[in-house]
Amino acid sequence: MISILIPTYNYNITRLVAELHRQALDTYVDFEIIVIEDGSTPFLEENKTVNNFEFCRHIILSENIGRSAVRNKLADEAKYEHLLFLDCDAEVCSEHFVEKYISFCKEKCVVIGGTAYEPNENNPQFSLRLAYGRQREARNATERDRNNFSTFNFLISKSIFDTVRFDENIHGYGHEDMVFGHQIHLLGYDYIQIENPIIHKGLDDNDTFLIKTREATLNLYKLYKTGRYPFLTEESKLLHSFVRICKLGLTRLFAYSFDQLQSVLEHKLCSSSPSLRLYDLYKLLFLCKTSIEK
């Protein structure tokens, strides 16, 4: 009936698996839970206990194969027609989480459950990640962007997945989900948006989040320059703005502005109340800087 698939890297997965296993048993449907350790070693011994749960498997990869490849491998390992992909740094916050997804397992579909954040989490070390998550990710089903596909928490029919699959040519951090989501739309499928979020627990501190932001922005630029993904300029607001700046001949000015403003912007973005408008500007200036250097 349903295969619950969790790629794992440097995270203790035992609590999440235990809750998913309990809920899946209560549905009285056929299920399996597969965890793939993508070349990580912290929490390895703890995560091996996943094998003690009935219908659960913990697979260890000796090397990290990347975000796209590990999800494709999970799908290859799955034996049921519906695949529920979850990120490892999640916490189930509803007693009916699995049950809600089971109700869609009678049809060919792509279902997105959503993301939530702890309402009482206000540690200033995570202020930027929390601001971004709460304002851009933790949206009701009716408010979510049609083009904003997230791998954090979604159900997909195996027959659809096998037609699309994650693009393993995409290396580095970020935007493999955007490409995957676009391919789903090309097949003629829309996402079914439902209220079935899980809590994002593995928060990056401000400095780490900015590092990942630069990595993801660099990856976006690399994808754009390959010419294989022409739709990115329409589906990425960041890339759309960048192309307009290039046409106006302002790229070098924006790149120079990044050099001059980087430390000031990062100081403000790491404050207790960061502005996402400044965050968007930071990414745009960095993208211009990247294009000049490359």
Side-chain angles (χ1 to χ4, degrees):
M1 173 68 78
I2 189 170
S3 297
I4 302 175
L5 310 175
I6 310 172
T8 304
Y9 185 77
N10 291 353
Y11 205 84
N12 188 327
I13 200 70
T14 55
R15 182 176 177 183
L16 175 61
V17 171
E19 178 59 21
L20 293 168
H21 184 261
R22 183 187 68 79
Q23 289 195 18
L25 285 175
D26 288 344
T27 64
Y28 297 101
V29 301
D30 294 331
F31 76 93
E32 64 178 348
I33 300 175
I34 305 174
V35 175
I36 291 187
E37 200 86 40
D38 192 14
S40 59
T41 53
F43 309 108
L44 192 58
E45 292 304 313
E46 296 93 323
N47 291 346
K48 284 180 181 178
T49 62
V50 165
N51 290 316
N52 298 333
F53 291 102
E54 192 176 17
F55 314 120
C56 295
R57 282 191 289 153
H58 178 247
I59 300 170
I60 301 172
L61 302 182
S62 58
E63 295 182 357
N64 181 275
I65 62 175
R67 295 157 63 88
S68 294
V70 72
R71 288 182 172 87
N72 288 341
K73 183 169 179 59
L74 278 162
D76 292 339
E77 292 284 342
K79 64 181 179 181
Y80 294 118
E81 169 55 19
H82 285 82
L83 314 176
L84 175 55
F85 282 91
L86 305 173
D87 278 6
C88 62
D89 57 342
E91 180 179 292
V92 177
C93 53
S94 166
E95 282 290 320
H96 306 288
F97 175 75
V98 175
E99 182 183 358
K100 280 188 177 181
Y101 275 125
I102 293 293
S103 65
F104 289 93
C105 289
K106 298 177 182 179
E107 58 183 305
K108 185 179 286 190
C109 60
V110 181
V111 186
I112 298 178
T115 306
Y117 286 83
E118 289 279 8
N120 297 322
E121 175 59 79
N122 294 300
N123 189 328
Q125 290 184 345
F126 309 122
S127 60
L128 182 56
R129 187 65 186 89
L130 286 169
Y132 183 84
R134 286 167 177 163
Q135 295 179 45
R136 300 278 174 87
E137 296 175 336
R139 295 181 174 180
N140 295 330
T142 56
E143 299 173 338
R144 295 175 199 151
D145 187 339
R146 178 181 180 273
N147 292 325
N148 188 16
F149 183 86
S150 170
T151 59
F152 186 66
N153 170 24
F154 76 101
L155 177 81
I156 186 170
S157 302
K158 198 173 195 297
S159 54
I160 299 176
F161 185 95
D162 287 341
T163 304
V164 180
R165 299 180 68 84
F166 283 93
D167 188 345
E168 296 187 21
N169 291 315
I170 300 177
H171 302 287
Y173 178 81
H175 300 291
E176 74 285 341
D177 48 357
M178 182 181 292
V179 173
F180 183 81
H182 178 79
Q183 294 300 114
I184 290 173
H185 281 320
L186 287 183
L187 286 177
Y189 294 99
D190 284 324
Y191 319 141
I192 301 172
Q193 302 280 2
I194 64 171
E195 295 297 337
N196 199 24
I198 47 178
I199 297 174
H200 185 194
K201 297 290 289 185
L203 301 178
D204 294 317
D205 61 44
N206 295 329
D207 290 336
T208 302
F209 188 60
L210 284 175
I211 290 171
K212 287 187 174 181
T213 294
R214 294 193 296 271
E215 290 176 352
T217 303
L218 174 59
N219 218 33
L220 178 64
Y221 179 73
K222 289 179 177 178
L223 296 179
Y224 165 69
K225 292 299 289 184
T226 65
R228 295 197 300 265
Y229 313 98
F231 59 89
L232 286 176
T233 55
E234 295 301 321
E235 297 192 8
S236 166
K237 293 179 181 178
L238 173 60
L239 199 54
H240 184 73
S241 298
F242 169 72
V243 170
R244 289 179 61 191
I245 289 170
C246 291
K247 289 179 178 179
L248 292 171
L250 298 174
T251 312
R252 289 190 177 277
L253 176 60
F254 276 63
Y256 174 77
S257 298
F258 181 80
D259 288 334
Q260 301 303 306
L261 298 174
Q262 181 179 3
S263 60
V264 174
L265 288 173
E266 290 180 352
H267 178 74
K268 290 182 177 295
L269 290 173
C270 293
S271 68
S272 58
S273 300
S275 164
L276 292 191
R277 287 189 177 184
L278 282 184
Y279 178 67
D280 293 338
L281 175 62
Y282 179 85
K283 290 192 294 182
L284 183 57
L285 296 180
F286 177 75
L287 181 53
C288 291
K289 171 72 172 178
T290 297
S291 70
I292 295 298
E293 291 180 342
K294 296 297 179 183

